[in-house]
Amino acid sequence: MIQKTILVILAIMALSQSGYSQKKAATEAEINQKVEALLQKMTLEEKIGQLNQYTGDWEVTGPVTNSGNKVEDVRQGKIGSMLNVRGVKHTRALQEAAMQSRLKIPLLFGQDVIHGYRVTFPIPLAEAASWDLDIIEKSARIAATEASASGIHWTFAPMVDVARDPRWGRVMEGAGEDTYLGCLIAKARVKGFQGKGLGNLDAVMACAKHFAAYGAAIGGRDYNSVDMGLRTLWEVYLPPFKAAVDAGAATFMNSFNDINGIPATGNSYIQRDILKGKWGFKGFVVSDWGSIGEMIQHGYVKDNYEAAEAAIKAGSDMDMESRSYINNLSKLVKEGKVKEDLINDAVKRILYKKFELGLFDNPYRFSDEKRERQTLNKPEFLDAARDVARKSIVLLKNENQLLPLSKELKSVALIGPLVKSEKDMQGFWSIDWGKEDHLISLFEGMKNQAGKTRLLYAKGCEISDTSRAGFTEALKAASEAEVVVMAMGEKYDMSGEAKSRANIHLPGVQEELIRAIQATGKPVVVLLMAGRPLVFNWTADHVPAIVYTWWLGSQAGNAIADVLYGNYNPSGKLPMTFPRSEGQIPIYYNYFNTGRPAQNDQDTHYRSGYIDMQKSPRFAFGYGLSYTTFEYGDLKLSADKMTGNEKISVSFTLRNTGKTAGEEVAQLYLRDMVAQPVRPVKELKAFQKVLLKPGESKTITFTIDKEKLSFYNDNLEWITQPGEFKIMIGGSSDGTKLEQSFSLVD
Ligand code: GLC
């Protein structure tokens, strides 16, 4: 009898499962049917209206063109989407205007929800330093939960541009220099934003940007040209975008730069051949702000008429702010320059998403004032922001275990231009909530935990002016304290869009102030708050404790105090190489060996390096310290040869050899010793973040398969070549502890 029951249950489960997948497939077919039916009713002008996106006035994220009456345009179906419209009240009002249009097609509302909406999380580069994919996904999930409750359907994130040049201000917005880490973070962020799938009330459309290779702008100058071989494009810059497609990203945004002379927004190789062709992307592509019209400045087209033609043919579906489509597409169709099918394809991609979001069933489903009030700024979101912030902090130096600070200290002097700053803690691409916001400064965070310790304060200097007038007061504060903690770095808008810097040293007279305070002989801790790697050689050489805190968001001060007092043992690892000088840039860990590799920093005799500076970086990719120490040992490979589709498992022991529990990011790098074309001296291929108690050890296992050995040859074929491979394992790209080789036989 029991057996029969089990069979019946299994049958019901199978039916329901197939029913579910049929239901899901039906949903896709159903939506496509609805899209086709609606498209048949649309005039050419109404179709073009869906491809047109204007900005609202709540945020300014590009050069604003004020023209006409946007609400009236919405009523006439001339706008398909708006960005920078904040809050349920305003999105509802504009949606009501859209419902007065002939076909009542709802608007899509987009916003740069890059690292939080109402609660600000650490900037994406800081989160990347956590190497913790779960908290990165959670951060995006919370951002989506808040934004969707505030009428937003679509975030222009994640930015997945690999970036090897810290002069480029937008490094703050991405995941750093490594393709492998970048792919995993792209997937985590897309999953975080889209949650259980579009149509859920707490899901927003993700937007992988900026397609493509925007981070390779020559000289780190924003919007500048990109000039690279196709192999580098495919191997280094495209994979995070492919990871976003595989994770189901609903939309893409193209980039301002040209790639080898062809602006991305007019580049059918990347948008049609690769994205919509080879990768089968079904979503839609929005141009970056005005980039369609900017093809005129590029010198790629003569006017907006030609720009519209080039862009729609190249696969740019929606025109953000350039007005090229709304003013020219109709004429292009009537003059036979553009087939209406191209417009139909773009419209269908956009309408599909509006149906998928449930906006045709209820255009106001994301515009519920009660839900907005109940969702934004929840205490648990602030707690999560504090946790993500702690885990993003990187300990760069800690001589004589100066950190963590003891609560028994009688006095601590807090000195520097960023000690009391709140706005700077938010970083670029954050939303300014003005007086209603409460950002925790370092000063407040220290006050919350200092207990009986007396906190002294002196600003000492400004972030970037040349006055030394504040030094005296700062020296006085230092003289009265047992320990000095300095908060130095960039203003919140010194990294970000259009914020490239030729000089990435600590700005102003900050390093002079550090030298003056260090000269007092007091123990000094320097906190560096910035959106990018900075150059601070004197500080790195002379100050005993240095902590890179990036821009950590709403809970910055509390998170930093958690680390300074040891409530949390810092575990971050650098997602970008830190140069000793701008002269070393571009500098990254996965370089080619060359025919004359310098054997060490002193080796300059006919070697690849500099005669006036070390070749090595100041701090390497993957580097970061802890309050405890870790030991790597017992490296074992399941085989020393790999044939066919076999895999090799790599295991080793990681032990906490210190007195404090701590997390280590154990990293596995691979080198293909001989290959044509040549391969980098090392490439990150696996990592695991492990929490260990004092004395505890754990066996960690990674699997090496052929995919990890593969690369593009000059014909852009994804291949492997037989030969020797070297495995390197450790807690930093320049600090591998274990090495062993194996060979790929075929
Ligand atoms: C900006 C940025 C892009 C952003 C868009 C909308 O220029 O390049 O990342 O999403 O415009 O604000």
Side-chain angles (χ1 to χ4, degrees), residues 61-62 83-84 112 156 170 173 209-210 214 253 256 288-289 320 429 497:
T61 58
L83 68 147
N84 295 335
D112 293 284
F156 302 130
R170 299 195 78 162
E173 205 178 334
K209 71 184 188 182
H210 304 77
Y214 183 30
M253 180 183 291
F256 290 116
D288 199 343
W289 189 297
M320 181 191 291
W429 286 122
E497 182 177 357

Side-chain angles (χ1 to χ4, degrees), residues 85-195:
V85 179
R86 193 192 308 178
V88 159
K89 221 162 66 257
H90 305 298
T91 52
R92 175 178 282 274
L94 279 162
Q95 205 67 293
E96 282 163 354
M99 290 306 111
Q100 292 161 33
S101 65
R102 185 177 78 88
L103 291 171
K104 300 183 184 344
I105 299 175
L107 290 168
L108 274 178
F109 291 107
Q111 178 87 37
D112 293 284
V113 183
I114 309 295
H115 53 108
Y117 180 69
R118 176 68 184 76
V119 170
T120 306
F121 281 77
I123 56 171
L125 188 62
E127 288 189 353
S130 74
W131 294 53
D132 185 329
L133 303 174
D134 293 339
I135 62 165
I136 289 171
E137 180 174 342
K138 183 175 180 183
S139 161
R141 186 83 296 276
I142 291 171
T145 304
E146 289 194 322
S148 57
S150 210
I152 305 296
H153 308 131
W154 177 22
T155 177
F156 302 130
M159 184 273 220
V160 302
D161 300 303
V162 171
R164 294 169 155 173
D165 189 332
R167 291 170 297 180
W168 189 50
R170 299 195 78 162
V171 296
M172 55 71 57
E173 205 178 334
E177 73 186 50
D178 184 68
T179 301
Y180 176 78
L181 180 61
C183 287
L184 295 175
I185 290 177
K187 180 179 166 192
R189 286 187 169 138
V190 168
K191 282 173 64 190
F193 287 128
Q194 299 187 170

Side-chain angles (χ1 to χ4, degrees), residues 166-167 169 171 490 494-495 499 501 504 530-534 548:
R167 291 170 297 180
V171 296
E490 288 187 317
M494 293 177 84
S495 288
K499 305 295 180 187
R501 292 177 60 197
I504 57 171
R532 69 174 87 215
L534 293 177
Y548 221 78

Side-chain angles (χ1 to χ4, degrees), residues 115-396:
H115 53 108
Y117 180 69
R118 176 68 184 76
V119 170
T120 306
F121 281 77
I123 56 171
L125 188 62
E127 288 189 353
S130 74
W131 294 53
D132 185 329
L133 303 174
D134 293 339
I135 62 165
I136 289 171
E137 180 174 342
K138 183 175 180 183
S139 161
R141 186 83 296 276
I142 291 171
T145 304
E146 289 194 322
S148 57
S150 210
I152 305 296
H153 308 131
W154 177 22
T155 177
F156 302 130
M159 184 273 220
V160 302
D161 300 303
V162 171
R164 294 169 155 173
D165 189 332
R167 291 170 297 180
W168 189 50
R170 299 195 78 162
V171 296
M172 55 71 57
E173 205 178 334
E177 73 186 50
D178 184 68
T179 301
Y180 176 78
L181 180 61
C183 287
L184 295 175
I185 290 177
K187 180 179 166 192
R189 286 187 169 138
V190 168
K191 282 173 64 190
F193 287 128
Q194 299 187 170
K196 295 189 183 68
L198 301 188
N200 285 288
L201 261 184
D202 64 356
V204 296
M205 293 199 295
C207 180
K209 71 184 188 182
H210 304 77
F211 197 55
Y214 183 30
I218 294 169
R221 291 191 297 279
D222 209 350
Y223 317 121
N224 202 8
S225 292
V226 166
D227 187 70
M228 72 172 60
L230 289 183
R231 209 157 41 77
T232 303
L233 177 68
W234 277 93
E235 204 149 86
V236 177
Y237 294 90
L238 289 182
F241 288 100
K242 178 63 168 56
V245 170
D246 294 345
T251 67
F252 263 51
M253 180 183 291
N254 58 37
S255 55
F256 290 116
N257 55 286
D258 69 83
I259 302 168
N260 304 330
I262 301 175
T265 202
N267 195 316
S268 56
Y269 173 62
I270 61 162
Q271 295 191 142
R272 288 203 182 281
D273 300 352
I274 299 176
L275 178 62
K276 296 179 177 178
K278 187 174 175 61
W279 293 350
F281 178 65
K282 296 269 177 289
F284 68 86
V285 178
V286 63
S287 68
D288 199 343
W289 189 297
S291 65
I292 292 177
E294 288 177 7
M295 287 195 279
I296 301 165
Q297 285 82 353
H298 273 283
Y300 191 68
V301 293
K302 188 160 64 16
D303 53 25
N304 287 84
Y305 179 84
E306 287 186 359
E309 178 183 7
I312 195 75
K313 286 181 175 173
S316 295
D317 299 301
M318 186 181 281
D319 173 7
M320 181 191 291
E321 270 295 317
S322 94
R323 293 161 172 73
S324 304
Y325 281 3
I326 197 74
N327 294 336
N328 295 283
L329 274 184
S330 180
K331 190 160 172 273
L332 282 159
V333 170
K334 286 172 184 134
E335 291 176 357
K337 295 280 183 63
V338 166
K339 287 195 175 45
E340 190 160 349
D341 289 355
L342 282 187
I343 293 173
N344 291 344
D345 176 62
V347 175
K348 287 195 284 186
R349 288 170 181 269
I350 292 164
L351 292 179
Y352 188 96
K353 292 303 171 194
K354 293 185 176 185
F355 276 109
E356 206 175 6
L357 287 164
L359 293 174
F360 281 96
D361 299 333
N362 173 5
Y364 308 111
R365 63 191 301 255
F366 292 84
S367 305
D368 173 339
E369 289 203 42
K370 184 162 170 282
R371 186 164 85 96
E372 181 178 49
R373 256 194 327 278
Q374 289 171 342
T375 308
L376 298 194
N377 216 25
K378 280 182 174 174
E380 59 265 38
F381 295 168
L382 289 165
D383 292 345
R386 179 170 178 166
D387 186 48
V388 176
R390 281 194 295 246
K391 292 174 176 169
S392 304
I393 291 171
V394 183
L395 179 62
L396 295 178

Side-chain angles (χ1 to χ4, degrees), residues 124-137 175-178 180-182 184-185 188-189 388 391-394 550 568 571-577 589 620-624 663-669 683-690 702 730-733:
L125 188 62
E127 288 189 353
S130 74
W131 294 53
D132 185 329
L133 303 174
D134 293 339
I135 62 165
I136 289 171
E137 180 174 342
E177 73 186 50
D178 184 68
Y180 176 78
L181 180 61
L184 295 175
I185 290 177
R189 286 187 169 138
V388 176
K391 292 174 176 169
S392 304
I393 291 171
V394 183
W550 314 100
Y568 180 75
S571 61
K573 299 281 185 178
L574 297 178
M576 271 190 90
T577 301
Y589 83 94
F621 170 81
Y623 173 84
E663 294 153 288
E664 169 71 328
V665 180
Q667 303 152 45
L668 180 145
Y669 295 89
E683 292 178 277
L684 179 71
K685 293 291 182 183
F687 65 86
Q688 192 176 340
K689 188 163 190 176
V690 185
F702 292 129
S732 169
S733 63

